[in-house]
Amino acid sequence: MVGVLVRRCMKGLAIACAAIALVLSLTMGWAIASEAQTLKVYRDPSCSCCEGWIDHLTAQGFQIESIETPDVNVIKQQYGVPNNLTSCHTAIVDGYVIEGHVPVADIKRLLAEKTPVAGLAVPGMPVGTPGMESDDQHDSFDVISFDSQGHTSTFNEYSF
């Protein structure tokens, strides 16, 4: 009789834990065994730092469709990347534009929170960003969000 009660309690505890995990995943943006997101990355075929950024993404579970194009600026204009936010590559994921060396953590946060913006950008090519690593050198940089009208806001700050 005691064994039956213990099994029922354990089963109830397992169901409660699963329910809590589901609630946390929905409210906190936590992923539970979800499919990998695919980023479509437009890049210049001669740019090696883009490969470093792609490696950063794949190491964190993203799938990549790399599209080499000699004129990435056309893609930037097509997706409305403000001129002052451009970098060397442009990616598209789940309807968002990702411009430049944006860290994976910021992309995951954007996707989890479903932030109402057009995209994120790390303007230029700051040393120490994913794909731009150089020994122990790090430039401070901001991840900037932008909307379809070109309005910008700081999404995250990295100070070194």
Side-chain angles (χ1 to χ4, degrees):
M1 182 68 160
V2 172
V4 172
L5 289 175
V6 169
R7 281 194 296 274
R8 284 185 184 165
C9 285
M10 294 302 287
K11 185 177 181 181
L13 183 59
I15 290 169
C17 287
I20 291 169
L22 178 60
V23 169
L24 287 174
S25 72
L26 295 174
T27 60
M28 304 289 288
W30 294 357
I32 297 179
S34 61
E35 284 186 34
Q37 289 276 10
T38 300
L39 276 87
K40 187 180 287 191
V41 180
Y42 296 92
R43 64 185 199 85
D44 188 293
S46 64
C47 185
S48 63
C49 68
C50 298
E51 284 296 327
W53 186 69
I54 288 171
D55 291 344
H56 171 70
L57 294 169
T58 56
Q60 296 295 315
F62 283 96
Q63 300 294 319
I64 303 299
E65 180 184 345
S66 180
I67 301 167
E68 295 182 353
T69 176
D71 193 1
V72 181
N73 288 327
V74 170
I75 302 301
K76 295 174 191 317
Q77 291 171 357
Q78 177 183 342
Y79 287 103
V81 177
N83 289 335
N84 62 326
L85 298 182
T86 61
S87 185
C88 58
H89 53 263
T90 304
I92 309 300
V93 60
D94 200 22
Y96 290 107
V97 180
I98 307 297
E99 179 68 16
H101 295 266
V102 177
V104 163
D106 295 308
I107 297 169
K108 287 182 176 182
R109 178 180 149 211
L110 173 75
L111 296 172
E113 293 177 358
K114 301 199 181 306
T115 307
V117 297
L120 298 179
V122 171
M125 297 167 69
V127 174
T129 56
M132 292 296 297
E133 294 89 354
S134 177
D135 298 321
D136 290 330
Q137 247 184 319
H138 290 90
D139 293 339
S140 295
F141 66 96
D142 292 338
V143 177
I144 307 296
S145 64
F146 60 94
D147 65 17
S148 58
Q149 287 78 41
H151 300 112
T152 63
S153 181
T154 301
F155 189 79
N156 202 358
E157 298 176 358
Y158 293 84
S159 298
F160 299 99

